[in-house]
Amino acid sequence: MHVVLSALNAKYIHKNLALRWLYVSRPASFDVQIVEGVIRDDPMNTAQRILAYRPDVVGLSVYIFNAEETKALIACLLTLMPDVRIILGGPEVTYHPRPWLELGVEAVVCGEGETVFWDYLQGKSSPSIQSKNQASSEIARVDLNLLESLDSPYFLELDEADMDKRYLYMETARGCPYECAYCLSSLEKGMRRFSDAYLDRTFDRLADSGVKQVKFLDRTFNVDPVRALQIARRLTQLPSSISFHVELVGDTLGPEIIGFFTSQAKSRFRVEIGVQSFNRKTLLEVGRYSRLDLLKNVILQFSEAGVHQHTDLIAGLPYEDIHSFKQSFNTLFSLNPFEIQVGILKLLHGTRLRRDHEKYGYTFIDRAPYPITSSSWMSEEDMKSVESVANAVEKLYNSQKLHATMQVWVDEEGLDAFELFRKVGEGLRELKRPYSQRDFFQCIANALKDDVADPMIRLKSDYYRLSPIFPQPFWEEGELDDKGKEVRKEIRNRLDASEIRVKHMKIVERADGKVGSDVWIYPALGKSHSVLRFDEKYNLESETVYESAHRDA
């Protein structure tokens, strides 16, 4: 039997681990291929790639981020191959299988499919299969001892050519000990762990694999603090070219593991900490029992140590109105994490919030990814404000383009972070696409002109820092007065004396607000530019060079 396992990933750099587990668990009598695409691909093109293998069966892995695109792919597959058998699996279909059968799908695997999928194709019955003739009665769970006996899914021959170009997704355990009402992981009771011996064998092979970044799928990497630290220390023994991403529960971290992530490991690890809200009533209602003072302290320690820390907030949770969410956002912003993800609550099939949506007054889009549009506490207008904040945070803060500038404006001028991002986000919503960096900065300046005392001082500095070639100003420039001409002449003399070759030069106010000048230099040769900082007497205080990699951060 010819089988194609397929999935539409968010980006090329991602790859689907579930398909690879299915691949290594295949019976010897099956001829199996993996065909991956991305959600932006033309579904007919992906279907034609699958058709090239003339499969009898196509297995598709479905998630909220690819659900609508997978529906289009199913239609294309049935157009090209009317008799092909299509079997679905994945979290999006596990808890809501029946509507998918109406698309011409033969069956849905509910739960983990490493054994159920192949058993079904061999004619064996399973309570974890949903079809037109059978309702599933059990969510499948696989014995990890069985998986450990298989070939590794992490180092397949079919992946060798681009191991250094794509993320390697790994898992040290399955399951989650928490019961968050909005999360599918809450439906899986108990934890199952891969053995230390199995992980050691995997890490040994990882050392010579060429992989650059490993992302652990464990919902809570530090559920067992001793084991987590043991694994993390083992990972730091691997080549320094490999970095790692782990998801942590912040308020359960002890001093030893905090010390690890904030010292020798901080250059190797990207950590993700789910905050969701700082409203205690909200957290209790959704089953998150966070010790908020400890959580804030951990985030702050990571920030001060320079840890690459990704944090999350969810807008729309029970009992959180727009004022409460604003407080949650401003509290998190004050802790200065490297990234803040502002998400809208999604009512996933199978979760308690989806089941009880009427109780909380939720209105939502009943199409993946199922975002809410309002609740008993937040209006549609409130949700649009949050969306504006989310967009601006991505563009200004998480991109690192204006991360420091936004912190300065909030901390030093006492401004409201949520409101600043909201105003910029609303401005960006009106900006015609595609837009230039000049348009982007002009939009920010216009949005904040009534809030920030003099936004142009820092915006000019950021504008030049981020411009690899000499840019046209986005502000109006008049003729230099006598003082300006004197400053330009004196600085020119200093540059000539230092034999600095200059193609373009721009003199602006110092970004730190002190008396003096910042001079942006674009040399005649080279791929870098620099800023020279002079005091009021034209003494050179510092020089910072920006290479292309830095400018694009």
Side-chain angles (χ1 to χ4, degrees):
M1 185 179 294
H2 300 288
V3 178
V4 169
L5 305 173
S6 186
L8 298 175
N9 301 321
K11 298 178 180 179
Y12 164 76
I13 198 170
H14 304 154
K15 55 187 177 185
N16 187 294
L17 179 58
L19 298 187
R20 285 157 176 79
W21 274 120
L22 285 176
Y23 184 82
V24 299
S25 62
R26 69 195 185 281
S29 59
F30 285 77
D31 177 29
V32 183
Q33 305 292 332
I34 290 179
V35 175
E36 289 180 289
V38 296
I39 54 178
R40 291 187 177 182
D41 288 345
D42 182 334
M44 184 57 75
N45 289 343
T46 304
Q48 288 171 338
R49 290 173 56 213
I50 293 172
L51 172 65
Y53 293 102
R54 301 294 175 182
D56 303 298
V57 178
V58 177
L60 298 174
S61 187
V62 192
Y63 302 80
I64 59 167
F65 67 82
N66 71 6
E68 298 305 311
E69 292 81 0
T70 300
K71 291 177 182 178
L73 176 58
I74 291 170
C76 292
L77 288 171
L78 291 174
T79 298
L80 296 177
M81 299 174 285
D83 297 325
V84 73
R85 301 170 64 188
I86 299 177
I87 317 296
L88 305 183
E92 170 60 12
V93 298
T94 287
Y95 299 98
H96 190 55
R98 187 165 295 281
W100 290 85
L101 299 175
E102 299 171 2
L103 303 177
V105 169
E106 177 180 316
V108 173
V109 175
C110 298
E112 298 172 5
E114 288 92 343
T115 59
V116 174
F117 179 79
W118 300 114
D119 285 349
Y120 175 75
L121 292 184
Q122 295 177 96
K124 301 176 184 178
S125 63
S126 169
S128 301
I129 287 289
Q130 175 102 8
S131 67
K132 291 183 178 179
N133 301 319
Q134 174 187 333
S136 65
S137 59
E138 181 179 298
I139 303 301
R141 298 288 180 256
V142 177
D143 183 350
L144 299 192
N145 290 321
L146 171 64
L147 298 188
E148 291 187 11
S149 70
L150 303 173
D151 290 339
S152 174
Y154 304 119
F155 310 105
L156 300 180
E157 184 178 350
L158 61 91
D159 289 324
E160 286 180 356
D162 56 4
M163 290 290 277
D164 62 332
K165 301 178 184 67
R166 305 177 75 184
Y167 296 140
L168 180 66
Y169 290 95
M170 298 185 68
E171 49 189 347
T172 73
R174 291 187 180 182
C176 182
Y178 301 100
E179 298 183 352
C180 303
Y182 51 82
C183 182
L184 286 178
S185 297
S186 67
L187 304 177
E188 182 177 350
K189 307 303 180 185
M191 294 289 301
R192 293 166 293 150
R193 298 173 176 84
F194 287 91
S195 69
D196 292 344
Y198 177 78
L199 294 178
D200 279 336
R201 293 195 301 271
T202 301
F203 297 153
D204 286 342
R205 294 187 64 182
L206 181 60
D208 300 318
S209 67
V211 169
K212 300 299 183 184
Q213 185 165 26
V214 178
K215 290 196 170 188
F216 285 93
L217 297 176
D218 305 36
R219 303 309 301 165
T220 309
F221 183 77
N222 63 311
V223 65
D224 180 339
V226 174
R227 185 172 188 259
L229 188 55
Q230 173 187 324
I231 292 172
R233 283 175 171 159
R234 174 73 171 86
L235 294 174
T236 60
Q237 297 171 8
L238 297 174
S240 60
S241 58
I242 307 175
S243 61
F244 308 96
H245 176 110
V246 295
E247 187 169 342
L248 305 174
V249 175
D251 64 312
T252 65
L253 296 173
E256 190 174 8
I257 198 167
I258 291 174
F260 173 82
F261 282 118
T262 56
S263 56
Q264 69 266 33
K266 68 179 181 181
S267 64
R268 304 288 302 279
F269 282 85
R270 183 178 187 267
V271 304
E272 181 174 343
I273 295 180
V275 177
Q276 319 317 351
S277 173
F278 284 107
N279 184 318
R280 292 185 184 278
K281 185 175 182 180
T282 293
L283 293 174
L284 290 174
E285 182 66 19
V286 298
R288 285 185 72 91
Y289 304 99
S290 300
R291 294 173 292 179
L292 294 179
D293 289 340
L294 290 176
L295 178 60
K296 287 187 280 189
N297 186 50
V298 167
I299 294 173
L300 184 60
Q301 287 185 70
F302 280 4
S303 299
E304 292 175 343
V307 175
H308 191 136
Q309 174 186 202
H310 175 98
T311 56
D312 303 291
L313 289 173
I314 298 178
L317 294 174
Y319 301 114
E320 184 142 69
D321 59 17
I322 190 64
H323 303 291
S324 172
F325 186 78
K326 181 189 295 187
Q327 291 177 347
S328 290
F329 179 85
N330 288 343
T331 297
L332 184 55
F333 183 86
S334 71
L335 303 175
N336 194 24
F338 189 78
E339 294 175 350
I340 299 173
Q341 179 179 325
V342 178
I344 304 297
L345 175 64
K346 299 172 179 61
L347 296 184
L348 307 181
H349 287 288
T351 62
R352 178 163 62 83
L353 289 189
R354 171 82 183 212
R355 185 176 66 248
D356 297 341
H357 69 273
E358 293 182 354
K359 170 184 175 181
Y360 301 113
Y362 285 130
T363 60
F364 62 100
I365 298 172
D366 197 13
R367 183 180 66 253
Y370 315 110
I372 70 163
T373 53
S374 68
S375 74
S376 294
W377 301 273
M378 295 185 78
S379 66
E380 289 189 15
E381 195 61 34
D382 292 336
M383 298 308 297
K384 288 180 181 178
S385 294
V386 173
E387 290 172 357
S388 294
V389 170
N391 185 37
V393 168
E394 284 297 317
K395 294 292 197 319
L396 277 66
Y397 188 89
N398 294 345
S399 69
Q400 307 306 308
K401 289 183 177 181
L402 276 78
H403 184 124
T405 291
M406 296 300 288
Q407 286 288 347
V408 167
W409 284 341
V410 171
D411 295 344
E412 296 185 3
E413 300 195 30
L415 301 177
D416 185 297
F418 183 93
E419 287 302 314
L420 289 184
F421 282 110
R422 181 185 63 79
K423 291 181 178 181
V424 173
E426 290 176 353
L428 292 173
R429 181 181 295 166
E430 302 301 320
L431 200 57
K432 292 183 179 180
R433 289 164 173 73
Y435 55 80
S436 66
Q437 185 147 275
R438 187 174 185 271
D439 297 331
F440 176 68
F441 272 83
Q442 182 66 65
C443 175
I444 298 169
N446 291 340
L448 301 182
K449 62 184 178 182
D450 296 330
D451 297 276
V452 180
D454 191 350
M456 296 304 299
I457 292 178
R458 290 197 65 91
L459 286 179
K460 288 178 182 179
S461 177
D462 290 324
Y463 184 59
Y464 284 116
R465 174 176 57 85
L466 294 164
S467 299
I469 59 175
F470 185 69
Q472 290 300 313
F474 63 88
W475 59 91
E476 292 186 5
E477 290 189 309
E479 292 292 325
L480 288 176
D481 57 17
D482 290 342
K483 178 63 176 177
K485 291 177 181 178
E486 177 188 340
V487 170
R488 184 176 63 182
K489 179 180 179 181
E490 185 63 33
I491 289 176
R492 276 285 187 185
N493 291 338
R494 296 297 176 99
L495 296 176
D496 290 341
S498 302
E499 297 183 348
I500 298 176
R501 298 183 64 188
V502 178
K503 184 176 183 179
H504 296 290
M505 179 181 74
K506 179 61 67 175
I507 303 171
V508 297
E509 304 95 326
R510 284 177 56 145
D512 62 5
K514 296 181 179 179
V515 178
S517 303
D518 282 344
V519 182
W520 289 91
I521 303 295
Y522 289 80
L525 299 173
K527 296 183 179 180
S528 64
H529 64 299
S530 58
V531 58
L532 308 179
R533 176 157 291 175
F534 292 90
D535 65 15
E536 70 276 15
K537 296 182 179 180
Y538 313 115
N539 296 310
L540 179 62
E541 287 189 0
S542 65
E543 177 180 4
T544 304
V545 177
Y546 294 98
E547 304 291 344
S548 57
H550 190 145
R551 294 197 303 271
D552 296 337

